[in-house]
Amino acid sequence: MSDRSSSTRRGLPRFPSIPRGEVVATFDSYDDAQKAVDTLSKAEFPVKEVSIIGNDLVSVERVTGSLSYGRAAGTGALSGLWIGLFFGLLLTLLSPNASTLLFIGAAALIGAGFGMFFNIAVYSLNRRRRDFTSVMQVVATSYSVLTSAELANRARNLLGLD
């Protein structure tokens, strides 16, 4: 399956390459392909010789909601709050003489304010181009389980495909 001269100590290739071999089975979902490899593993098949290859990659953007000034301000304040808390705790550890709770609270409020301001400014600049929130994923349309030609028939028999 791999050229040993271009491999690292763990047997993985140094540079990404498409594995060579014979397709044992093709599945519509990654979970089904994983279950097939799991079945092979339980039957003590040498799974180091098995690869799962995602075919025909597709970019999928799922819209999660609309974006408004209020939502931009809220998400900016929340992320800024976490950053402010982090820096407040960090500075408190470096200088424990200050009134700790008051100092952490002030840092959190300042962080929330900056986060809100920054997110509103970014939203104002991009408002006409993008008024929604989304999550981007790369998904394969099918998944092939691949192994060396010498082991392909044994893998098919173990999966009950022959």
Side-chain angles (χ1 to χ4, degrees):
M1 294 262 317
S2 65
D3 181 19
R4 289 286 172 199
S5 63
S6 65
S7 298
T8 60
R9 286 186 287 167
R10 293 186 183 139
L12 298 174
R14 287 185 197 153
F15 303 105
S17 63
I18 296 174
R20 303 249 185 254
E22 196 171 318
V23 175
V24 173
T26 302
F27 300 94
D28 290 333
S29 72
Y30 183 71
D31 286 340
D32 291 341
Q34 272 187 320
K35 287 175 187 172
V37 174
D38 218 19
T39 301
L40 293 174
S41 177
K42 288 176 183 169
E44 297 183 11
F45 186 85
V47 290
K48 278 187 160 186
E49 298 293 322
V50 176
S51 299
I52 298 175
I53 299 177
N55 302 305
D56 302 325
L57 298 179
V58 178
S59 174
V60 178
E61 184 174 9
R62 299 185 198 276
V63 177
T64 57
S66 62
L67 195 56
S68 65
Y69 279 106
R71 188 164 182 171
T75 56
L78 192 59
S79 61
L81 177 83
W82 286 114
I83 292 171
L85 277 173
F86 172 74
F87 282 115
L89 287 170
L90 184 67
L91 291 174
T92 300
L93 289 174
L94 297 175
S95 175
N97 298 346
S99 58
T100 307
L101 197 54
L102 186 62
F103 188 73
I104 293 173
L109 285 175
I110 291 169
F114 275 114
M116 185 185 312
F117 173 75
F118 181 75
N119 238 22
I120 288 174
V122 168
Y123 175 67
S124 295
L125 294 173
N126 294 326
R127 183 165 182 237
R128 303 257 187 244
R129 286 180 274 159
R130 189 171 174 103
D131 274 344
F132 61 92
T133 58
S134 64
V135 176
M136 183 76 81
Q137 295 174 309
V138 175
V139 182
T141 57
S142 66
Y143 298 88
S144 298
V145 175
L146 184 86
T147 190
S148 62
E150 301 85 35
L151 297 170
N153 283 331
R154 181 176 167 210
R156 284 190 194 96
N157 289 336
L158 289 172
L159 293 173
L161 299 173
D162 267 350

